[in-house]
Amino acid sequence: MKIKAYFSFVGFLLGSFAIISIGAPAQQPERRERNIDEIRVEAIHRAEVGQYPLIGLDPGDVKQAFENIHTSDKDEWAAGFMGVADRYFNEAKSLEKSDPAKANADYVRAWRLYSFGRWPIPASPGKQRSYERAIEAFLAHARFFDPSLEVVRIPFEGKEIIGYLRLPKNATGPVPLVIAVNGLDSRKEDLTESFSAILPFGIGYLAVDGPGTGQSPIKVSETADRVLSRVIDYARSRPEIDKNRIAMHGVSWGAYWATKMAIVEKARLRGCSAQSPPVDKFFQKDFLLNSLLGNREYLFDQVPALMSILDGVHTLDEMGEFMPKLSLVQEGLLGKPMAPMLILAGVLDTQVPIDDEYLLLSKGDVPKEAWINPKGGHLGRQVGVWPDPLIFKQVIIPWLVKTLQGPEN
């Protein structure tokens, strides 16, 4: 089956939520994106049960936003969520002095709504405005942080890497650090909020957008890991950070980078935790066509979002040719010495094949630890049993603390 058989569906990149009927054998079910009505129902449901990508959003706010969203137009989507977010943002500004706690809570609500207004990617002028507003609201929220947040700007190939750095208070010497890398549709702001939980253990963190996402200066390519090597350079240059106790955490696409860095930066990383890292099978044409197109575990537009982060890729055919080059097997990296790793995954994941995780666990030169949920989907999450925040608190944070506070290898 040739990729060119699917050309007629590349038009979905120009609109949103379009139907994708795969030209597959007759016995295979039709795979299609949700239409706008289905998205509305599913999004509200996910907000009600605390399911990604609506974790932390109030279902009432989501319902209100959808009152003004009637088509698949991206700018209409953004306007619907910005309209609700603006109310909280403006209220927060008016309450900063009189009721700072309420102002902070309002900024958080505004940030999450603006962020969903640009989801999964800022692929239109309206979604781009919503993303910019999300950053503004998040940084307003961050003004209430204690310890404070530092926005760092790292020079990189004539551009800059923007990161968020937080270090524990009252440290008496250089502290361990986690470099946190986001996924396809999450952002460094999400990781900054989550990793606040590691500060009480005397560990700092630096959150950055992975290649192709957010404010990253470069897109995904076989050499894009160099941007994260530059982040490690920067972290090691800071006197407040223990250069011998740096780890990396990545979620989904960020987990790909964490895995790759565990190999190429083995000497400079104490360990890497990776949630559902793509390794090899994920990058093959068959998986793109038969699992990612029309994927229903993902809310909508997974393939357009994925295509947007790849350097020089504009069509489905180009995507099918480009992605295998990123396989850690094809790059000749899997099997080389690695830093210690924690691999988290769900057996029922439809977005990253569990075979990739089993392959990764079997390679390298040191034992790896694994947390595999037999009833979990992407990232190992399981609605009502293993939600994202619980996995983070009970599995990821303890492993990173153990890895960074333990003795030298």
Side-chain angles (χ1 to χ4, degrees), residues 68 85 96 198-199 216 228 246 262 272 280-281 284-285 380 391:
N68 294 308
E96 279 197 13
I198 208 165
L199 294 170
S216 175
L228 296 174
I246 298 175
C272 295
D280 179 53
K281 185 177 178 179
Q284 308 310 314
K285 291 180 183 179
I391 296 172

Side-chain angles (χ1 to χ4, degrees), residues 213-261:
T213 72
Q215 295 177 305
S216 175
I218 62 172
K219 289 196 171 188
V220 172
S221 70
E222 301 99 306
T223 63
D225 51 281
R226 67 189 190 278
V227 75
L228 296 174
S229 291
R230 179 69 187 94
V231 174
I232 296 174
D233 293 342
Y234 175 81
R236 288 168 60 89
S237 75
R238 293 284 297 246
E240 312 98 314
I241 296 169
D242 185 342
K243 65 181 181 180
N244 295 314
R245 294 179 185 270
I246 298 175
M248 185 170 288
H249 171 76
V251 52
S252 195
W253 253 100
Y256 168 76
W257 298 115
T259 302
K260 189 170 185 178
M261 300 304 283

Side-chain angles (χ1 to χ4, degrees), residues 381-395:
R381 56 169 69 113
Q382 183 181 356
V383 178
V385 181
W386 283 106
D388 296 60
L390 189 63
I391 296 172
F392 191 80
K393 179 181 178 180
Q394 293 195 6
V395 185

Side-chain angles (χ1 to χ4, degrees), residues 3 7 184 211-212 218-226 253 256-257 260 278-286 288-289 292 303 305-331:
I3 277 231
F7 270 164
L184 173 63
I218 62 172
K219 289 196 171 188
V220 172
S221 70
E222 301 99 306
T223 63
D225 51 281
R226 67 189 190 278
W253 253 100
Y256 168 76
W257 298 115
K260 189 170 185 178
V279 176
D280 179 53
K281 185 177 178 179
F282 170 88
F283 296 105
Q284 308 310 314
K285 291 180 183 179
D286 285 348
L288 168 64
L289 297 177
L292 296 183
V303 169
L306 179 56
M307 191 182 298
S308 76
I309 73 172
L310 304 177
D311 192 22
V313 173
H314 306 290
T315 69
L316 191 61
D317 192 40
E318 291 175 350
M319 189 176 180
E321 297 299 322
F322 182 91
M323 286 184 62
K325 300 175 185 178
L326 301 172
S327 161
L328 297 180
V329 173
Q330 185 159 324
E331 289 190 295

